[in-house]
Amino acid sequence: MTTTRTEADLLGELAVPADAYYGVHTRRAMANFPISGLPLSTHPELVVALARVKHAAALANHDVGLLSADKTAAIVAACEEIEAGRLHEQFTVDVIQGGAGTSSNMNVNEVVTNRALEILGHPRGDYARLHPIDDVNLGQSTNDVYPTAVKLAVHAAATDLLGAMAELRGALSAKGDEFADVVKIGRTQLQDAVPMTLGREFTAFAVTLGEDEQRLAEALTLLTEINLGGTAIGTGLNAHPGYARLACEHLARLTGTPLVTATDLVEATADVGVFVQLSGVLKRVAVKLSKTCNDLRLLSSGPQAGLNELRLPKVQAGSSIMPGKVNPVIPEVVNQIAFEVIGNDTTVTLAAEAGQLQLNAFEPIIAHSLLKSLHHLRTGAQTLARRCVTGITANTEHLRRQVRESIGLVTALNPVIGYEAASALAKQASATGRSIHELVVDAGLLTAEQLDTLLGLPATAAG
């Protein structure tokens, strides 16, 4: 039989498991929000960020003389354990919750308090000695704690995503170098266009990803402005006049992030524009990653009845009924991540728009959506780099044949023989099945060497 302890809030008494570090507020939230089945611990970055906010707040309140040395030391020790990854299983409230994040704030208040009580030598729930609100939440409100923690969590997750994007960009760039001399036909609107190299195609993939890294890095700087110290609506009610500055300084030191206090805390408490901007950047990353994966799937289609220009690594059997079939499963999973991120962006947009007056009550779904997008994009980019891109090979001989036989070669002759003559050659090639290369040389318009030079192709491309 599970033993319990009794705790009370404004609604009355409630039994809490005796061995739980959370308390009555968390227990009620667990009953109120059986929504996603995903506890707050699903996002460890957010749990760590909440603990760091409480850590910094305790130090600041001690600095201004509002929190005793022994209480401060116990709170700090409890926070440091959470920051190191302990007690995360005690963060049990659902990631999707009403109350603008109040349940998350109370969850961390209670866990920190009960662990700190143990450190002080007292039993869990002995709030007369250390209180979740009077001490751990001193000078704070959910409305400045939660947004600050979300920004810290998202900043950490976005930094990890930048690392994964750099890894993928490096893998694509390496393939660009490897395929630098592999000629192929470029395409527009899925029709043959003009010659290029496979190397330039992969280099373009790398460059477009690098541009998104820059946009993401720019968005990260906006996350460093926090509203900690604004309390309920940004007025700083119930916080010491020196608290906001000190809390920000401590938090910046703890996180290693150059944080600044917003110049207008009322505006900063109500506004979630930074999350909208970041979400838009993540959508951009997703769209362009998905486009790259579309290209990889198309270029590797076949092998006999498709383009068959690339060979993707074979990572698993592709069919339960078709022997020997192998599918482009890694690009496919990244496509699906992109679809999710695009949907998450819509959620963030609607949640941001729905905020009213001095607070946005929908930051929990914003946080959940952003952290999902960041995590899945990071793991997707890493998987694409490690399980696909690094193992791609080129079907070189097939590509050379395509170049030699493509009517698209005629485009490069426009400056030399004119559009009308070039069009006539294209028509003749289409009617006879002969290659442009062959027709040009046979007609004495150019030598094979001159044609190769004009096309910028190595001699091997002419066959």
Side-chain angles (χ1 to χ4, degrees):
M1 182 175 177
T2 302
T3 58
T4 62
R5 65 177 188 266
T6 300
E7 294 191 12
D9 61 5
L10 65 86
L11 299 182
E13 293 185 341
L14 189 69
V16 176
D19 60 353
Y21 285 89
Y22 59 78
V24 59
H25 294 280
T26 302
R27 190 68 192 86
R28 287 202 194 280
M30 291 167 64
N32 287 335
F33 308 121
I35 307 302
S36 69
L38 300 174
L40 194 60
S41 57
T42 300
H43 299 305
E45 303 98 335
L46 184 53
V47 172
V48 168
L50 286 164
R52 283 193 171 132
V53 171
K54 299 300 173 181
H55 186 161
L59 293 174
N61 281 315
H62 178 260
D63 290 344
V64 299
L66 295 180
L67 198 63
S68 66
D70 59 336
K71 287 183 176 181
T72 301
I75 291 171
V76 166
C79 289
E80 287 176 339
E81 291 183 3
I82 297 168
E83 291 163 32
R86 291 189 57 195
L87 301 178
H88 281 214
E89 74 283 354
Q90 297 296 314
F91 290 81
T92 54
V93 298
D94 200 280
V95 293
I96 301 176
Q97 56 193 252
T102 297
S103 297
S104 296
N105 186 38
M106 288 307 304
N107 198 164
V108 69
N109 285 335
E110 291 174 338
V111 173
V112 169
T113 298
N114 282 306
R115 179 60 188 129
L117 281 169
E118 283 187 333
I119 292 169
L120 290 169
H122 306 301
R124 300 171 205 173
D126 190 1
Y127 298 145
R129 298 181 184 274
L130 186 72
H131 198 275
I133 296 176
D134 292 340
D135 295 314
V136 176
N137 199 63
L138 179 61
Q140 302 153 63
S141 164
T142 291
N143 303 344
D144 62 346
V145 167
Y146 190 76
T148 297
V150 171
K151 286 184 176 180
L152 294 179
V154 168
H155 191 284
T159 301
D160 289 343
L161 172 57
L162 279 173
M165 291 171 68
E167 179 183 346
L168 176 57
R169 173 171 48 82
L172 292 166
S173 183
K175 286 297 169 182
D177 293 339
E178 180 182 341
F179 300 146
D181 296 325
V182 179
V183 293
K184 61 164 287 178
I185 287 292
R187 297 178 181 84
T188 57
Q189 296 165 273
L190 294 180
Q191 306 300 304
D192 292 359
V194 296
M196 66 182 299
T197 66
L198 189 58
R200 293 198 68 177
E201 193 163 28
F202 272 84
T203 297
F205 292 152
V207 170
T208 198
L209 189 60
E211 291 176 349
D212 286 350
E213 289 178 69
Q214 293 175 17
R215 302 294 83 75
L216 182 55
E218 291 166 1
L220 275 183
T221 63
L222 301 178
L223 292 166
T224 59
E225 182 185 87
I226 61 174
N227 72 325
L228 191 61
T231 66
I233 62 171
T235 64
L237 183 69
N238 293 345
H240 186 280
Y243 167 80
R245 175 182 61 82
L246 291 166
C248 184
E249 290 175 0
H250 283 300
L251 193 56
R253 177 182 55 80
L254 291 170
T255 61
T257 304
L259 302 173
V260 295
T261 301
T263 54
D264 188 322
L265 290 174
V266 172
E267 184 278 336
T269 302
D271 179 54
V272 293
V274 61
F275 299 135
V276 176
Q277 181 155 341
L278 176 63
S279 183
V281 173
L282 297 181
K283 180 174 74 171
R284 170 181 166 142
V285 173
V287 167
K288 292 168 73 174
L289 266 183
S290 191
K291 190 272 181 188
T292 296
C293 287
N294 291 342
D295 287 353
L296 293 178
R297 292 190 296 112
L298 190 59
L299 292 171
S300 64
S301 60
Q304 280 75 36
L307 295 186
N308 192 26
E309 295 189 3
L310 299 178
R311 299 187 183 97
L312 305 186
K314 298 178 179 181
V315 297
Q316 66 181 55
S319 174
S320 61
I321 191 173
M322 293 173 279
K325 190 172 187 290
V326 178
N327 295 326
V329 294
I330 302 301
E332 286 172 352
V333 76
V334 176
N335 282 132
Q336 292 173 78
I337 290 169
F339 307 154
E340 178 194 38
V341 172
I342 293 166
N344 289 342
D345 178 63
T346 300
T347 298
V348 171
T349 301
L350 292 173
E353 184 275 335
Q356 297 168 318
L357 304 178
Q358 280 69 58
L359 183 68
N360 187 299
F362 308 110
E363 288 191 32
I365 194 64
I366 291 175
H368 181 51
S369 298
L370 286 175
L371 289 169
K372 277 196 305 178
S373 292
L374 287 161
H375 176 70
H376 291 170
L377 282 172
R378 174 178 63 81
T379 53
Q382 290 172 334
T383 300
L384 185 61
R386 299 170 188 178
R387 301 288 292 170
C388 181
V389 174
T390 56
I392 290 174
T393 57
N395 192 350
T396 306
E397 292 305 317
H398 176 63
L399 288 168
R400 286 174 175 166
R401 285 194 301 272
Q402 285 184 326
V403 171
R404 183 179 62 190
E405 297 169 2
S406 175
I407 295 176
L409 290 178
V410 76
T411 303
L413 300 178
N414 284 347
V416 179
I417 65 175
Y419 182 84
E420 295 299 332
S423 294
L425 278 174
K427 183 176 181 180
Q428 185 181 1
S430 180
T432 64
R434 299 177 69 192
S435 71
I436 293 294
H437 196 285
E438 182 182 0
L439 290 171
V440 168
V441 173
D442 285 356
L445 297 173
L446 293 168
T447 67
E449 292 76 13
Q450 289 172 326
L451 183 56
D452 287 338
T453 300
L454 177 66
L455 298 174
L457 301 177
T460 52

